[in-house]
Amino acid sequence: MKLQKNKQNVRLGSVVIPIHYQIILEPDLLAHTFKGEETIMITLAKQVREITLHSKDLKIMSATISFGTQSHTAKKISYDSKRETATFLFDQVVPKGKAKLHLTFAGILRDNMRGFYKSRYEVNGQERFMATTQFEATDARRCIPCFDEPAQKAVFQVSLIVPPDKVAISNTLPTDVREHASGFNIVSFAPTPKMSTYLLAFIVGDFEYLEKKTKTGVIVRVYTVPGKKHQAEFALSCAVKCLEFYNDYFDIPYPLNTLDMIAVPDFSSGAMENWGAVTYRETAILVDPEHSSTQTKQWVALVVAHELAHQWFGNLVTMEWWTHLWLNEGFASYIEYLAVDRIFPKWNIWTRFLYGDHGPALRLDALKHTHPIEVEVHHPNEIGEIFDEISYSKGSAVIRMLANYLGKDDFKEGLRYYLKKHMYKNAGTVHLWQAFEKVSGKPVEKMMTTWTKRPGYPIVRIREQDAHLHFSQERFFASPLSRREVTDTTLWNIPISFTGPRRSAQQFLMTKKNMIVPRTPGSWLKFNTNETGLYRVRYDASLLDQLRQPIKDNQLPADDRFGIIRDLYALSEAGDISAVVPLSMLPSYSNEPEYMVWVEAVSGLGRINNLYAGSSYEEPLRTFARSIFAPAVKLIGWKPTVNESHSHALLRSLLLGSAGAYGDTKVIAKAQSLFMARNRLAIPSDLRSVVYSIIARYGGEKEYNALLLMHQAASLHEEKNRIESALGHFTDPRILNKVLAYSISSSVRLQDRNGLIAGVILNPRGRKIAWTFIKKNWSKLSADYGEGWHLMSRMISPLGRATTKQEADDIKKFFKTHKAPGAARTIEQVLEQININHAWRIRDEKALREWLKK
Ligand code: BES
Ligand code: ZN
């Protein structure tokens, strides 16, 4: 019913088509307002009396339409705040054909990180503000009245009126700078390519930059606020290499002559792919040679590779509607790894895909309240909510599965075909499948439909009997309750693969519910080779048993070792096996050399530990955990070695952090001594998070004050974030309440607030305190986050860590009377997850007690 109404109302229709926008904007950095003037060339498919376009929080002063020799000013300008539109009513009929719409308007530079907004920074201790934009998905309309839909592509010609000492940046290079009557400069930029409104960008402030050219002469620059350009070097070199890689890979040269990348101090997501003027939060682009961690370096490389991939996949070819958002985000989230792997082959970056994307996709999509990759959306609130792990992570995992099935060459050729066919236009999911079909001759559309149009994914059960393997598939649910409730008979086309000791993988496409395949008896078999498929595997007991040894002696590749333990945890959560099974598998991992595999082992252990936090099982579980880490901790030690691999450096932080969290007294003491000595001897950047977290977990008032001072003094944003996540680890409720109060103070930027609140939620001793805080401060929090904004969902989702029915009931009750527009699905997911945790806790309690006794 509600959906129906949204559907009719929300699209602009196809009578008025924009062709070209001429835009003049004048931000006032002191009064925090802006004025604008715009001429839109349009084509009318039929004669009209009124014209409707998108506009939100803008005051439109005048609207004049010109056609032929005539010119008429709108008699009435009306706004529809639900549809986020403005309508101009003319007293003359405007005939079919070409016309020009001239508008003048004004708005406010808010601090909500949407539309045209202000961001705070300091120059020599003095507070300043820049004006900058974030338009995706539907916030261009907060800056300029426009036809704010991805398929309404047009050319944009922008001028910015700015004080002469400020830098003005937009999508293209300035072609002209002239003095404006007001004493300001008017900077005019070259026309953009034909593109969607969500890709426009305007930035005005104090900046310095580093610059480099690509082989083909594209100028690449990284802009930072004054004093930080030395942190731009790494991202700059990544960007140049990425552009060169994509030029070659897509076989289409980057279509602009410049690429600017701007570090913005207040930024709602990680980064935004505005064509030719990519914006980033500081932690996603700045790398300090001395103070940044290995984690940050990898993250920066991945984000740069992601946003630059969008310059082709997203900007050049754009989804026809937000239902196909996943094409943008899923694809970029896949190809970013491909690019980084080319640029930094030693990083072994693909291993990160499994815990960064593949795993999160399997987790979220195991809920009843998931959604299909291709999902019908209409209203901006619904659009904001799908920037989630389904679009990004499931999207990328599905692309990776297909890429493996097609093979490198057909995959690349298919992409080239797709991009060339649809460039400067829009496309949907089916167009991508058609491109792959064309080059490969394989039935791609048929194979992929269930993966993108249906929610969920399969679990493949495998049984060995009479020298045959028996396969069966069904939808996987993390909750035994959902599994009983939902009848889903979807059959997926699953690329099944398996490998034995002799290494060459066998493959077939499983299209039926059950299949039987002969097998050579004897040796072990690992299914879903390299975890390229988006499914889980349930081995029968004997097949599973045979895997222990190849795990132990690392005969199996890391991806496969990873997949086995991940699926065991998931099956235990789903009630298929007891938690004792994955836990007793852990000792097989004691020789594990690979960081990534440890991440998975540790995170599952953490989830089981979370179930029993505060109970009489907590201590025995902690003792068990310490026994798992002890040998590896001893081996890796505290001292980074020269030229060690990324995996090794990351593993050190992970192991020390985990050992410290589970109460290893030696590790705690060492962390404390490093902290005490920090002013004389800087803590190595990779160990800072570990040290700060341990300090908080085992500290009190004194440590809190020390961390707070460090937080305020830090100029590197990454350091601030490190301290913010550590603050959640205190155990004293009084301190945790202070941490929460601090999160909404002016010392913490709105973009970072969730990090602090999530830190407290993830601490079993802080969860209820944080929930009480959220309820109490709801009106402020919901006002700050605004409607339909992904930050709201991201604040709510960590509540899924709760483990009791009371918590679920309370959350449900609260949201019955408190609106969270755009977070409806997230709330359902949180409730479902809590019920899963609750059931898991009760179900496995007894088996765990018996097992821990041993
Ligand atoms: N297009 C998005 C930015 C975005 C996110 C706009 C959410 C509107 C809402 C951008 O390409 C992106 O995906 N950024 C990621 C980082 C990336 C490396 C996964 C982000 O911001 O988290
Ligand atoms: Zn993206």
Side-chain angles (χ1 to χ4, degrees), residues 31 94 129 295 369 387 413 446-447 458 517-518 535 571 599 647 672 697 704 721 741 755 800 812 850:
V94 188
F129 290 91
Q295 252 337 331
H369 293 99
F387 284 82
E413 286 311 318
K446 183 163 172 284
M447 169 180 166
V517 176
Y535 57 94
L571 284 162
V599 171
S647 168
Q672 287 166 337
R697 191 184 292 271
Y704 174 71
N721 284 178
K812 194 169 177 178
E850 301 291 306

Side-chain angles (χ1 to χ4, degrees), residues 830-846:
V830 161
L831 294 173
E832 186 179 352
Q833 186 62 54
I834 300 175
N835 287 329
I836 291 169
N837 298 345
H838 170 77
W840 192 11
R841 182 167 59 84
I842 308 279
R843 194 175 55 233
D844 281 350
E845 208 167 280
K846 195 159 150 251

